[in-house]
Amino acid sequence: MTLAERIQASVLGALPGAEVTVQDMTGGGDHFQVIVLSPAFKGKTLIEQHQMVHASLGPLKDEIHALAIKTRAV
Amino acid sequence: MTNTTEKIQSEIRADKIVIFMKGTPDFPQCGFSAKTVEIFKSLGFPFHTVDILAHPDIRALLPQISNWPTFPQVFVKGKLIGGCDIVSEMHSEGQLKPLLESAFKDSK
């Protein structure tokens, strides 16, 4: 399982039913963008949504050098 | 001797807008900090900055207090609104200026 796949699984684990897209921005395997669409974001500010995504990564955070996050409440 | 937590809390209360950044507005030491400061300069509201490169204790502790791992960190009226990505997204979607206007409209 690639790191991108592990990121997707980790976010989905914490946000079941979310639509999660992970892109490797440089091909180097440590700069990622993750796009998360989830009903769980409804009523949450952008910062709260991003904090939820950060929290869903758990220990994976240490393997990721740069992470751009895009979230939408759906 | 005030501890780091107290230092952070007093900095957060120092002004309506507080930016914990790498470097200073005139000499930002990181692209994300520079971009964030440019946005606030363009909006024209006064803001207070803290150079976390000069305060390693704040740099180490703030992420745990604010539950946000990276810098810069922008606080408006004591509440974290985000880092560079979020501030830029709010700015491009026209959400940032109204937020600041209402922050400065309140008397307290």
Side-chain angles (χ1 to χ4, degrees):
Chain A
M1 218 172 160
T2 65
L3 182 47
E5 287 160 345
R6 284 188 288 145
I7 291 170
Q8 185 176 40
S10 186
V11 176
L12 276 173
L15 295 166
E19 193 185 310
V20 182
T21 312
V22 181
Q23 287 154 340
D24 183 334
M25 303 304 281
T26 61
D30 60 0
H31 286 61
F32 292 97
Q33 171 167 274
V34 59
I35 301 167
V36 187
L37 310 179
S38 169
F41 293 150
K42 272 209 175 82
K44 296 264 193 306
T45 62
L46 266 182
I47 184 78
E48 287 162 341
Q49 295 176 26
H50 285 222
Q51 285 170 327
M52 288 163 76
V53 174
H54 271 295
S56 73
L57 295 173
L60 282 182
K61 275 200 290 273
D62 307 331
E63 296 181 47
I64 301 165
H65 176 66
L67 181 66
I69 298 174
K70 292 252 179 276
T71 56
R72 277 290 168 278
V74 288
Chain B
M1 203 276 281
T2 56
N3 66 32
T4 306
T5 305
E6 284 157 5
K7 255 168 85 172
I8 288 173
Q9 281 158 356
S10 74
E11 292 288 3
I12 288 175
R13 286 193 305 268
D15 209 334
K16 293 243 163 94
I17 301 172
V18 175
I19 305 172
F20 292 84
M21 62 179 289
K22 291 178 180 174
T24 62
D26 296 332
F27 298 100
Q29 299 301 305
C30 140
F32 296 116
S33 288
K35 183 177 176 188
T36 302
V37 163
E38 279 321 306
I39 288 173
F40 281 91
K41 279 183 181 175
S42 74
L43 289 170
F45 293 92
F47 57 88
H48 170 69
T49 62
V50 178
D51 178 1
I52 55 152
L53 299 179
H55 298 280
D57 54 339
I58 291 181
R59 180 179 188 175
L61 188 60
L62 183 55
Q64 291 157 38
I65 291 178
S66 64
N67 183 25
W68 189 251
T70 55
F71 290 94
Q73 294 192 19
V74 180
F75 289 77
V76 175
K77 285 183 70 180
K79 198 165 173 280
L80 177 66
I81 61 163
C84 183
D85 284 353
I86 288 176
V87 165
S88 309
E89 185 172 337
M90 288 175 75
H91 184 48
S92 59
E93 290 187 12
Q95 297 165 355
L96 187 57
K97 195 170 183 200
L99 177 76
L100 302 180
E101 281 164 347
S102 75
F104 279 86
K105 207 169 49 185
D106 298 355
S107 57
K108 50 180 173 8

